[in-house]
């Protein structure tokens, strides 16, 4: 995995080749025990990833959080087996004590570490947590992408809704796979 921020920014200089993911945390995803619903969600992520790839996208960025971000990254890694030109970019909001926040359960930490190890590129935008770090990360993802693929319920508020709305204000096309 390449972690040098300058190399990553150079690789991502063609914004038209980049896609970002945004979505809910585990509590707003299908129940882990509902394998059918989770499989359908992964199929939607896969279909949108392949569609974006066929449209010339090569870099797939995710925000490195438990829930949809990790699920999307895992799906991209599966798709990458058939489309090896795909590059997965893991963008953590901060580095120090990242897995200490309340969202992180042991299973999600394990999955996140596997995703990080298998990513082509990885970076943390800040060394430490600060108020607003997640919104800064969300804007960074959109500002380096030409498409945002999200999983956002109709009435959701918070980071996912903010990110999709921000993308639309920046004239970045969005796809919400919540109801597909």
């Amino acid at each position: 995995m390449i972690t040098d921020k300058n190399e990553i920014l150079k690789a991502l200089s063609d914004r038209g080749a980049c896609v970002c993911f945004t979505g809910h945390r585990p509590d707003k995803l299908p129940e882990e025990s509902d394998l059918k619903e989770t499989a359908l969600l992964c199929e939607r992520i896969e279909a949108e990833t392949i569609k974006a790839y066929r449209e010339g996208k090569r870099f797939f960025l995710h925000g490195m959080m438990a829930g949809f971000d990790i699920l999307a990254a895992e799906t991209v890694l599966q798709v990458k087996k058939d489309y090896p030109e795909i590059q997965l970019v893991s963008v953590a909001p901060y580095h120090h004590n990242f897995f200490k926040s309340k969202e992180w359960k042991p299973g999600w930490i394990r999955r996140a570490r596997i995703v990080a190890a298998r990513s082509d590129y990885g970076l943390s935008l800040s060394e430490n947590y600060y108020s607003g770090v997640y919104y800064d990360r969300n804007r960074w993802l959109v500002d380096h992408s030409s498409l945002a693929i999200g999983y956002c319920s109709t009435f959701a508020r918070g980071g996912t809704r903010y990110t999709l709305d921000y993308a639309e204000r920046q004239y970045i096309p969005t796809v919400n796979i919540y109801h597909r």
Side-chain angles (χ1 to χ4, degrees), residues 14-26:
D14 179 7
R15 183 178 185 173
C18 301
V19 175
C20 68
F21 291 101
T22 184
H24 296 309
R25 303 278 170 80

Side-chain angles (χ1 to χ4, degrees), residues 4-14 123 140 144:
D4 180 86
K5 195 168 186 176
N6 290 328
E7 283 188 53
I8 294 169
L9 291 174
K10 183 178 176 185
L12 300 179
S13 64
D14 179 7
L123 72 147
W140 193 96
H144 290 84

Side-chain angles (χ1 to χ4, degrees), residues 32-152:
E32 286 187 51
S33 59
D34 190 345
L35 298 178
K36 182 179 178 183
E37 198 61 34
T38 300
L40 285 171
L41 176 55
C42 291
E43 286 174 15
R44 292 180 202 136
I45 296 167
E46 180 179 330
E48 291 299 330
T49 299
I50 293 169
K51 179 180 175 190
Y53 172 81
R54 290 181 176 154
E55 293 171 354
K57 314 297 186 202
R58 294 297 178 266
F59 296 93
F60 292 81
L61 294 66
H62 74 101
M64 204 55 205
M65 290 303 296
F68 183 78
D69 289 352
I70 298 300
L71 190 62
E74 291 169 336
T75 304
V76 168
L77 289 168
Q78 284 299 115
V79 172
K80 186 177 165 97
K81 291 177 181 176
D82 292 327
Y83 301 91
E85 299 85 7
I86 286 176
Q87 304 287 295
L88 181 64
V89 182
S90 294
V91 183
Y94 61 96
H95 177 74
H96 187 68
N97 288 325
F98 181 60
F99 290 122
K100 301 274 188 204
S101 65
K102 66 180 187 253
E103 297 91 12
W104 290 105
K105 305 289 186 246
W108 284 105
I109 292 171
R110 180 185 54 75
R111 290 169 71 177
R113 286 187 169 142
I114 291 169
V115 162
R118 294 180 60 202
S119 294
D120 298 285
Y121 299 91
L123 72 147
S124 296
L125 298 180
S126 175
E127 185 62 28
N128 296 297
Y129 172 84
Y130 59 86
S131 180
V133 72
Y134 295 106
Y135 289 102
D136 287 348
R137 186 271 327 268
N138 294 344
R139 285 188 297 272
W140 193 96
L141 290 169
V142 170
D143 291 344
H144 290 84
S145 298
S146 61
L147 173 67
I149 298 173
Y151 180 82
C152 187

Side-chain angles (χ1 to χ4, degrees), residues 22-23 25 134-135 137-138 157-165:
T22 184
R25 303 278 170 80
Y134 295 106
Y135 289 102
R137 186 271 327 268
N138 294 344
R157 295 188 317 239
T160 301
R161 171 57 52 210
Y162 171 86
T163 306
L164 290 174
D165 289 347

